[in-house]
Amino acid sequence: MIPYPVDYVRATSVAHALELLSGDSEARLLAGGHSLIPLMKLRLASTPLLIDIGRLPELQGIEFHPDHIAIGAVTTHAELGSHAELAALLPLIPLAAGVIADPTVRNRGTIGGSLVNADPSADWPAVMLALDARMELTGTGGTRELAADAFFVGVMTSAVQPDELLTRIRIPLPGPDRVAYRKFRHPASGYAVAATAVALRYDGHACTGGAIGVTGVADSAFRAHAAEAMLGGFTGSAEQTRRIVEAAFADVRPLEDGFADGAYRMQLARVMLGRALADAVREP
Ligand SMILES: Cc1cc2nc3c(=O)[nH]c(=O)nc-3n(C[C@H](O)[C@H](O)[C@H](O)COP(=O)(O)OP(=O)(O)OC[C@H]3O[C@@H](n4cnc5c(N)ncnc54)[C@H](O)[C@@H]3O)c2cc1C
């Protein structure tokens, strides 16, 4: 289906994008366009004005700081999946980037677009939760930072306000010692029916704790806090794994759709988390 007529402006700076946004309450930002344009074609989203931020130099690139890595919001999935220095410090990122959709989507879709879109089945939310990322949001009044845990607030809803841009994603260093990403893909779309990102920290061979991000399973991606509290001393034993998996999904109301009802989705989630824990654990 062809979208209805819409005005298009390519922003020349973040300040320009914010000025355009504040001038029209129904204007929408366009990054890679791989979520917004399909929604517009289906008439599930509409706007009189598209503000293209996809090529803004201010929003591009990956910066390495002593205590964190800053990723520009319009960095594509493909760039994140093929950056050697980033992979060496945060191997969870290429693990997840490589299983997003297909090469066409990975070459155009951006991490910022994916996070703001907050699709309950998108991959980056689980990864950013497991890496304890912080989101830099910029509006006309200045900049604020939000933890990933406070960023995903519901189905296709993030904490970004209509007059704000997600400008950067900051991931603390040093990253976790051991990581894994396990995803059960929807066979048609490639989105996660259930996926889990596991990040473990070690002191020698002793697991001292970690983080677990889950996507595909509930209204929004979430951190499995109750399960995380049981990661200290994790050795990979079957009994520990069973208890951690049980704790992760104890209070979850699962999504249901034509592909997976709630019970099947929960079973997939349990299996994905069990496998991710087994992938990530360091052999004693
Ligand atoms: C066939 C297909 C398969 C896919 N499979 C997967 C998959 O397996 N896993 C997965 O995770 N994703 C998947 N996607 C989604 C894909 O990753 C999208 O590219 C991504 O979700 C959105 O990024 P974008 O840059 O294209 O955003 P856009 O479509 O341009 O924007 C999405 C939304 O975010 C807003 N926005 C964008 N950037 C910003 C910003 N910096 N600040 C504030 N608001 C902003 C826009 O206004 C819009 O509302 C798939 C998409 C398609 C078409």
Side-chain angles (χ1 to χ4, degrees), residues 21 27-39 50-51 53 59 73-75 77 99-102 105-106 108-119 121-125 137 158 160-161 164-168 181 183 185 188-192:
L21 262 187
R28 297 285 292 267
L29 298 166
L30 182 73
H34 271 54
S35 288
L36 183 54
I37 300 295
L39 287 176
L50 281 174
I51 304 166
I53 56 168
L59 298 182
V74 302
T75 308
H77 311 321
V99 295
I100 293 176
D102 51 53
V105 174
R106 291 200 286 271
R108 297 288 305 184
T110 67
I111 185 169
S114 173
L115 293 171
V116 175
N117 205 44
D119 189 305
S121 300
D123 292 279
W124 287 129
L137 307 177
S158 66
V160 179
Q161 296 302 302
E164 283 182 319
L165 262 78
L166 171 61
T167 37
R168 239 165 221 87
Y181 191 65
K183 170 180 181 180
R185 295 167 66 98
S189 70
Y191 276 99

Side-chain angles (χ1 to χ4, degrees), residues 6 24-25 29 35 63 75 81 92 107 112 168 171 179 202 241-242 244 252 266:
V6 54
D24 184 339
S25 62
L29 298 166
S35 288
E63 293 161 16
T75 308
L92 189 51
N107 282 327
R168 239 165 221 87
I171 302 173
V179 293
Y202 277 82
T241 303
R242 190 191 63 72
I244 292 168
V252 173
M266 287 309 301

